[in-house]
Amino acid sequence: MCGIVGFTGRREASPVLLEGLRRLEYRGYDSAGLVTSTGNELHLRKKAGRLAELRKHVAAHPAPGCHGISHTRWATHGGATDRNAHPHTSTAGDIALVHNGVIENYAALKQQLQAAGTQFRSDTDTEVLCHLVAHYYQGDLIGAVQKALALVKGTYGIAVMAKGEPGLIVGARLGSPLVVGIGTDGTYLASDANALAGFADKVVYLSDRQICALTETEWEVRDHDLAPASVSVQDIGAFLGDGDSDKGDFPHYMLKEIYEQPDALANAMRGRLDSADSTAHFGGLNLGAQQLRQIDRVIMTACGTSYHAALVGEYLFEELARVPVEVEYASEFRYRNPPIDRNTVVLALTQSGETADTLAALRESKRMGHTTLAICNAVGSSIAREADGGVYLHAGPEIGVASTKAFTSQVCVLTMLALYLGRTRHLSSIQGQHVIDDLRALPDAVRKALECHDRVKEVAARYAGATNVLYLGRQYLYPLALEGALKLKEISYIHAEGYPAAEMKHGPIALVDENTPSVFLVPRGNVFDKVMSNMQEIKARGGPVIAVASAGDRDVVSVADDVIAVPDVPEYLQPVVAAVPLQLLAYEIALSRGCDVDKPRNLAKSVTVE
Ligand code: M6R
């Protein structure tokens, strides 16, 4: 959360900073700011609200100079106000600093600084760090930053400038990503390489506790004790999202990403399905056939939508590979001490590859000596780099805060992994080939599912005024019920709950009345009759029912108030196809309620704080 961009070079800094922030706005969008330097002066501009507010402010009050740092904020400490926006400056105005992460011991440090006479001008944890750097600063910025960071507990990605050293930017990271960019007209710093596309040619990813110093023509990275660090310089191209991150003709990124799903699925499968051996192959798993055969348990860990994909993965691995799976929220798993034996693999799922809890869970598993794998979308992200092996989604950049194509691509990759593991065990080549055939047909099935959009608009118009919605499904569609509810609540602010359809009798059915619609996931399959009975139970209590059902299913039409048809696919792929109407329903309802679909309130795309 929060995005940092810095530039020092031979062109005006503020256009570079504003463009970089635009690309990082997914990391936080409640306020933004920048500081530039000319000669011996710092020019500070910051504004609460979206980046557009800062743009207007800078247009009216230009920030001159070829060196600067900037920030887009997702508030942790202190509300979204001008004064809490970054950069923060020292009392004398000689140090400016931007920060991602959380300074956990900020209260104690603040007390000490206040006792020594420092006046605070914001409610942030970050301001503490700025005053600490100023306290140690005697003409050597990197030394002052190192001393200040030695006192800090928590996580940080920072960029700092000193009035007395124009042209110098110092950065450091612990738990929040930071990448140095090297270009022909200067050097850069950012929390995501995508901010530097078209500016820098090469990048250097900082590791935790490293500190970097950038000038117009030079850069260096040092370890926490300021000894030179060994780093690798890589082409930026390898780390840029594969795909176009413009909205094209779509009014929102979310809608574009929903419609990209057939292509995203094809990309996730490209070169990975092997009909000759009726299996799948992955370049980056880094596991030999023998190690694979020995896996006797998988722990999947993730947050949010990725957690829901993992829950689908549990059903897939158990059915196709007969490997027991446990799925755990990363935020819980990181603090547990579960017995994990030698042949357990920990699999982290994440779109961004930067989610703080997922990263911490992965690190804790590695520390205990377990093999860690990741299913990840963002190339070069912290989790992609730190896992022992992994599989990229190749879904292209996902910009809308509500995850859509990453979810369906994750389920697709999990299906291929289950096939791969299954083929080292009991799954026959004929069964394996069936799975391959089903997967190959999936992009077209999703394309067909998208044809429900007009029907979804009608349904959305009827239910946009609801204040509570239940989402109900069973087996493979139970995790999708959770995901459908999450989509609706995060972008429309309607309270929604996902439940196993039969479990609702044990409590949530008390919520049902004529104003509480239930969305039933009821395509044809093994538990169809059971779900139909659950639907009747809701109808009997006067609850309106919206059903996502197999095209042409007359039984469902006779019971449900509104039916949205999806094409038939095997049960284990239903979460992918049935995700489409749920994504569209959330989108259309949010739209009709006037919500900001791509940037819902209080959220950020990448959750890099605990
Ligand atoms: O990048 P990750 O997949 O690790 O992100 C996990 C969650 O933060 C994310 O899925 C979040 O729940 C989305 N807003 C859901 O749409």
Side-chain angles (χ1 to χ4, degrees):
M1 274 161 164
C2 306
I4 289 176
V5 185
F7 170 68
T8 175
R10 292 170 295 282
R11 58 191 282 190
E12 278 296 295
S14 63
V16 176
L17 301 178
L18 287 168
E19 172 56 17
L21 289 184
R22 185 187 68 77
R23 300 179 199 171
L24 292 190
E25 224 189 345
Y26 72 89
R27 298 181 72 93
Y29 38 80
D30 61 38
S31 50
L34 57 81
V35 67
T36 56
S37 81
T38 45
N40 208 17
E41 221 186 318
L42 292 178
H43 310 276
L44 179 67
R45 310 282 183 263
K46 50 189 200 171
K47 275 280 163 209
R50 298 286 161 88
L51 185 59
E53 300 304 315
L54 178 67
R55 272 187 189 284
K56 275 190 248 161
H57 186 55
V58 172
H61 308 277
C66 301
H67 326 287
I69 56 177
S70 61
H71 189 263
T72 178
R73 180 170 185 247
W74 184 85
T76 60
H77 297 62
T81 59
D82 286 356
R83 68 191 189 95
N84 287 335
H86 300 211
H88 291 282
T89 50
S90 57
T91 309
D94 55 344
I95 300 290
L97 180 145
V98 295
H99 167 229
N100 295 348
V102 171
I103 309 297
E104 288 170 4
N105 59 338
Y106 86 99
L109 293 170
K110 187 169 179 175
Q111 267 177 13
Q112 288 165 23
L113 286 160
Q114 281 172 326
T118 304
Q119 300 276 332
F120 277 75
R121 287 170 295 187
S122 77
D123 312 312
T124 64
D125 53 337
T126 302
E127 193 182 346
V128 165
L129 194 45
C130 187
H131 291 306
L132 282 177
V133 173
H135 172 76
Y136 287 114
Y137 184 66
Q138 290 179 332
D140 167 23
L141 187 58
I142 195 164
V145 167
Q146 185 223 14
K147 288 193 182 97
L149 291 178
L151 301 177
V152 155
K153 287 198 186 109
T155 55
Y156 52 79
I158 56 167
V160 198
M161 291 179 78
K163 197 166 162 172
E165 292 176 87
L168 174 69
I169 296 173
V170 171
R173 88 159 256 181
L174 175 60
S176 282
L178 215 51
V179 58
V180 173
I182 306 154
T184 46
D185 52 6
T187 51
Y188 302 79
L189 194 63
S191 4
D192 177 338
N194 285 297
L196 306 182
F199 294 128
D201 310 313
K202 305 269 180 194
V203 286
V204 175
Y205 277 89
L206 260 58
S207 298
D208 275 350
R209 297 185 193 283
Q210 287 183 334
I211 302 180
C212 64
L214 318 178
T215 64
E216 278 178 39
T217 51
E218 288 175 7
W219 58 272
E220 59 172 338
V221 180
R222 302 196 199 173
D223 286 326
H224 66 102
D225 56 0
L226 297 189
S230 76
V231 292
S232 77
V233 181
Q234 293 163 284
D235 284 333
I236 193 171
F239 301 100
L240 301 180
D242 33 6
D244 173 9
S245 64
D246 288 334
K247 278 192 283 225
D249 292 335
F250 289 92
H252 296 98
Y253 282 111
M254 182 182 176
L255 191 62
K256 174 179 179 247
E257 288 155 7
I258 291 172
Y259 272 84
E260 279 173 350
Q261 290 177 111
D263 290 342
L265 291 165
N267 289 340
M269 288 186 269
R270 183 154 298 126
R272 287 173 169 163
L273 295 176
D274 171 0
S275 284
D277 286 332
S278 306
T279 188
H281 292 300
F282 304 94
L285 272 189
N286 302 331
L287 287 180
Q290 213 178 349
Q291 278 170 297
L292 266 177
R293 188 71 189 82
Q294 282 167 349
I295 295 173
D296 56 18
R297 184 167 162 238
V298 175
I299 294 184
M300 297 189 190
T301 189
C303 304
T305 289
S306 296
Y307 172 81
H308 298 152
L311 289 174
V312 179
E314 182 175 5
Y315 287 88
L316 284 165
F317 274 44
E318 291 182 357
E319 182 174 337
L320 297 180
R322 313 272 336 125
V323 174
V325 173
E326 272 168 60
V327 182
E328 175 101 75
Y329 281 118
S331 52
E332 290 300 310
F333 182 62
R334 63 182 289 188
Y335 292 117
R336 273 183 58 198
N337 191 13
I340 306 181
D341 63 33
R342 248 172 6 119
N343 297 325
T344 298
V345 163
V346 175
L347 175 61
L349 287 94
T350 170
Q351 188 286 128
S352 64
E354 300 294 352
T355 302
D357 286 318
T358 311
L359 179 58
L362 182 99
R363 285 180 176 164
E364 179 63 5
S365 307
K366 277 185 87 167
R367 192 196 57 75
M368 292 192 292
H370 299 298
T371 302
T372 57
L373 299 176
I375 296 178
C376 183
N377 194 34
V379 179
S381 56
S382 299
I383 290 173
R385 286 180 294 122
E386 292 191 27
D388 297 318
V391 184
Y392 278 123
L393 299 180
H394 297 308
E398 191 181 67
I399 310 287
V401 164
S403 187
T404 52
K405 63 177 178 174
F407 173 77
T408 46
S409 298
Q410 281 167 334
V411 174
C412 177
V413 165
L414 285 164
T415 313
M416 290 190 290
L417 268 176
L419 165 68
Y420 182 46
L421 284 178
R423 288 288 293 129
T424 64
R425 295 167 163 77
H426 73 289
L427 208 66
S428 72
S429 67
I430 290 172
Q431 290 169 316
Q433 191 52 47
H434 284 319
V435 176
I436 290 180
D437 294 343
D438 294 342
L439 279 168
R440 289 212 164 110
L442 191 57
D444 276 340
V446 169
R447 219 165 264 126
K448 186 97 190 114
L450 285 163
E451 291 173 10
C452 73
H453 195 164
D454 284 340
R455 173 74 187 124
V456 170
K457 281 183 191 166
E458 291 165 13
V459 175
R462 291 180 58 170
Y463 297 97
T467 48
N468 284 300
V469 180
L470 288 176
Y471 283 74
L472 302 164
R474 294 181 80 156
Q475 299 290 295
Y476 280 102
L477 293 173
Y478 155 52
L480 189 68
L482 301 180
E483 175 59 9
L486 177 65
K487 287 288 87 78
L488 186 71
K489 68 186 132 188
E490 72 179 327
I491 60 168
S492 75
Y493 319 142
I494 295 174
H495 174 248
E497 280 196 58
Y499 254 86
E503 183 65 20
M504 54 88 193
K505 294 188 291 294
H506 301 282
I509 200 165
L511 297 171
V512 170
D513 61 17
E514 63 282 8
N515 299 316
T516 304
S518 294
V519 179
F520 268 90
L521 305 173
V522 61
R524 289 279 165 169
N526 285 327
V527 288
F528 175 80
D529 292 337
K530 309 282 177 197
V531 184
M532 284 297 283
S533 305
N534 300 143
M535 208 154 93
Q536 295 281 13
E537 289 154 9
I538 296 283
K539 283 299 297 172
R541 284 154 183 86
V545 165
I546 305 162
V548 173
S550 301
D553 194 320
R554 289 173 174 278
D555 293 336
V556 176
V557 170
S558 67
V559 181
D561 298 279
D562 285 286
V563 179
I564 303 169
V566 288
D568 268 327
V569 291
E571 261 177 294
Y572 62 91
L573 294 177
Q574 283 174 352
V576 174
V577 169
V580 172
L582 301 194
Q583 295 163 347
L584 288 170
L585 187 64
Y587 173 82
E588 291 297 339
I589 289 180
L591 206 61
S592 66
R593 291 166 69 98
C595 300
D596 187 339
V597 171
D598 282 337
K599 294 195 179 82
R601 70 182 180 206
N602 303 341
L603 291 172
K605 182 69 182 162
S606 176
V607 184
T608 57
V609 293
E610 190 174 348

